[in-house]
Amino acid sequence: MKLSFHGADRNVTGSCHLLEAQGKRVLIDCGMFQGGHELDEENAEDFGFDPRSIDLLLLTHAHLDHCGRIPLLAKRGFRGEIITTAATRELTRVVLLDAAHLQEEDAERRQRQAKRHGEPGTQPLYTTLDALNALEFFGRTAEYGQSLELAPGLTATFYDAGHILGSASIRIEANSAGTRKSIIFSGDLGNAGRALLRNPQLPPRADSVVMETTYGDRLHKPIDPSIAELFAAIRDTLQRGGNVIIPTFALERAQELLFYLRRGVEAGDLPQSLPVFLDSPMAISATEIFRHHPECYGEEVDALFRKGQDPFALPGLRFVRESSESIALNRLAGGAVIMAGSGMATGGRVRHHLRHNLWRNDSSVVFVGYAARGTLARLLIDGAKTVRLFGEEIPVHAQLHTINGFSAHADQRELLVWQQALQPARTILVHGDPDSMDTFATLLKDTEVHRPAQGEIIEL
């Protein structure tokens, strides 16, 4: 077995690892680097391998930093099979088509700007047609806990990672001449004890583990105080007469927030008539997909569905699909909760809502997820006094709230428990900021710890 690294190595995005075993070249994830336009060139660079040589792609989940370069992979010659869970397959279609559409819009805008300056325009990384073509390579569907043969003597088993709908950790085993070797790719591990999804499953132990370290240096705030803090931020903003803007990840986070807002309205912690706008076509589609996959539900959500109740419905909820409806929200003087993508405010409709609300003392912006370095969300969280949006310098006067108890990622304690239970001889740390990775590495005992650089190759 040989393993090479082509993304999320000593950083948080762009997950992409290549395993060579039993004569097959197996890619685990093919994600996009995120953090602003400065990474556009990095996304467009060579993968570090020939896409035509890849036999299989195993996809852990549908977040853009794990699946976002699949259309580019196909565009450059990949003709293998993509294997993932049923829910991830559905969500990935939504995510990739949305990403392609945004890239086309962004490229068109840049071309207009370049034309005014007499400069050559830019092309999108991939188009909607490229995304549709890539979806043709999705083949077998993985079911949790059931082994799939990738080649003679080579199997893969998907285990529920509890991160977002359909997410998985993947255990690969190679058996050659009576010798067994095994490796587990964690994907992104979920935060246990959440209402929507089941807790992460623990795979059987393995010789080597490749694991994420997003929160390897910190613990999460408990969920109940986080919910109370969210409700307090909303009530305070309503009293000031402003709007609450929540940059929202479309997959899992949007649904979780709707679930807790519904609970808050029912309990009287929030007004019955609270207007809540989900301004994200992708999040709306993901919410509809969620209803199709009971294999991923947590007990509380499963019980509600069985009673015929919708866990995401609340009286004042409005789904906003059309761009004209989204633009109309910017005329709201106050009193509304607006949830819009993207979660790190790197693109999407939330940037327009920030433009219209950041300068207002009576409005609030609530961050409920991870913000990578270089993103607009991270700049605001780190205390920026002004930010540039659509060519305009916007002063930051709104109340800012950062509530990390809603994270869909395992924290340091949960990551450590997961790693220790697997007892690997080798632990390979990926998908984390260097400081987080270094802190987590100091906690690991009785295992060889490796923090690979991009392009590095390890013989297993």
Side-chain angles (χ1 to χ4, degrees), residues 230-244 268-271 274-275 333-337 360-364 399 401:
L230 172 65
F231 291 171
I234 292 172
R235 289 193 300 266
D236 290 347
T237 308
L238 296 179
Q239 288 177 356
R240 296 198 309 270
N243 294 313
V244 180
D269 294 321
L270 296 172
L274 177 68
V337 175
R360 297 176 53 181
N361 291 304
D362 55 4
S363 287
S364 294
Q399 294 283 325
H401 303 265

Side-chain angles (χ1 to χ4, degrees), residues 219-258:
L219 303 176
H220 294 320
K221 180 185 293 186
I223 187 62
D224 288 340
S226 298
I227 296 168
E229 188 176 347
L230 172 65
F231 291 171
I234 292 172
R235 289 193 300 266
D236 290 347
T237 308
L238 296 179
Q239 288 177 356
R240 296 198 309 270
N243 294 313
V244 180
I245 310 300
I246 308 179
T248 309
F249 293 100
L251 312 185
E252 197 273 336
R253 191 62 42 79
Q255 293 77 36
E256 184 176 41
L257 289 174
L258 290 178

